[in-house]
Amino acid sequence: MTTPRFAVLGAGSIGCHLGGRLVAAGYDVAFVGRPAAMDVLRQRGLTLSTSAGPAVHLAPEKLTLATGPEAAAGADYVLVTVKTAATAAAAADLATRLAPGAVVASFQNGLRNPATLRAALPGHTVLAAMVPYNVVQTAPGTVHQGMPGTLMTEPDDTLVTALRAAGLAVEARTDMAEVQHAKLLMNLNNAVNALSGLPLRDQLGRRAYRRCLALCQREALAAYRAAGVVPARLGPASPAVTPYVLALPDALFRRVAAASLRIDAHARSSMWEDLQRGRRTEVDSLQGEIVALAAAHGRGAPANARLAALVHDAEAAPRTWTGPELYAELRAARRTTPGHQRRDHPEQPDSTG
């Protein structure tokens, strides 16, 4: 069997992590990214670090680097890791360049990216895929995986074999739509983490921040129920139970959800990284997705809407929020929204979502 050639379209933190692991395993990978990012890799190479083992360094001469999508023309598999706002443009770039039979895999946040790619790339297989863990740039040319986790993708034997050969845990799933909805529930914490200014482990260790996430998840679950969506179960607790676990006092949360805190000190959300670098965030494809879904079914999602607005404010003028400040802000948004005026009791079921 011929060894597949890969291209990574959007070689930021996730793209460099996936592509770098494939290069380290001996695969041919073309990295396509921003000129400034590619310049760093040309000078320093790529270092892949993790809390689970020694770092791997790939020298510059080991990397095929490009700034234009034409570099994807010869690839058998294109891993799309651009931000959601760039997906339509990326799809248009690929439409005239993909080789016949090339497969595209969307390793992106949000719900709509695979559909956007499929609409623009008729005749090509587009796989929905998911990265469940955090990867951030900790130094120029260094990307760090801050927690363990298993990649998930729609079935494709060649892709799964390659990722496993690269030392990545991966599971083929036939229910990726449900997986993506479950991942969106997790990703609602990205905005909370970004506004906290804290590493993920510290932020998740503080009840007030977790209660912010619980508010967002309860609104999301209510919107899902209205839309007939049943998110997949990806962890030890079902999605319906998670908001109540998040609201537990810190000492009890540490006992009940110890696995959630098995995150190293470097781990932060990609949204925090975007704010630090002055880039547009993906909050509209995370919190914004919940707001839109709720509205489509005659509901509100005021905590998610307010959190999205605060992130947009931080894009223009960065600030951090303490947990109590942020929780009070989100509760105030719910109190002033019809149907959400009741006092939030995270320990009790919230019939209003």
Side-chain angles (χ1 to χ4, degrees), residues 186-315:
M186 298 161 54
N187 282 149
L188 295 177
N189 188 58
N190 287 12
V192 178
N193 180 253
L195 294 178
S196 78
L198 297 172
L200 276 164
R201 185 172 63 192
D202 293 343
Q203 177 247 309
L204 287 170
R206 302 186 187 190
R207 188 188 189 199
Y209 288 122
R210 294 197 309 275
R211 293 176 92 179
C212 295
L213 175 57
L215 288 180
C216 291
Q217 287 194 350
R218 288 209 305 278
E219 291 179 356
L221 288 166
Y224 285 179
R225 287 193 297 272
V229 171
V230 180
R233 180 170 177 165
L234 300 181
S238 73
V241 170
T242 301
Y244 309 114
V245 175
L246 290 169
L248 293 172
D250 288 340
L252 184 55
F253 179 80
R254 284 193 292 270
R255 292 198 296 272
V256 171
S260 299
L261 298 175
R262 291 186 190 133
I263 310 168
D264 70 34
H266 296 293
R268 295 178 185 262
S269 74
S270 58
M271 196 174 294
W272 172 87
E273 187 175 21
D274 288 338
L275 289 180
Q276 296 302 301
R277 299 182 186 283
R279 298 194 297 242
R280 180 181 177 184
T281 71
E282 287 190 299
V283 72
D284 290 333
S285 62
L286 303 177
Q287 265 73 19
E289 191 73 49
I290 299 305
V291 173
L293 184 63
H297 293 277
R299 304 184 62 89
N304 282 283
R306 184 61 184 145
L307 199 51
L310 293 177
V311 170
H312 285 309
D313 289 346
E315 291 172 349

Side-chain angles (χ1 to χ4, degrees), residues 135-181:
V135 180
V136 295
Q137 181 177 309
T138 54
T142 299
V143 293
H144 180 77
Q145 178 184 342
M147 63 190 75
T150 299
L151 303 174
M152 296 182 186
T153 178
E154 290 182 290
D156 183 287
D157 289 345
T158 301
L159 178 61
V160 169
T161 297
L163 293 172
R164 286 177 178 163
L168 296 166
V170 59
E171 180 182 356
R173 303 278 299 225
T174 58
D175 61 342
M176 280 303 299
E178 291 82 0
V179 167
Q180 287 180 303
H181 281 87

Side-chain angles (χ1 to χ4, degrees), residues 97-115:
R97 294 177 171 90
L98 282 181
V103 175
V104 175
S106 168
F107 283 92
Q108 300 168 274
N109 288 331
L111 303 176
R112 303 175 186 272
N113 292 302

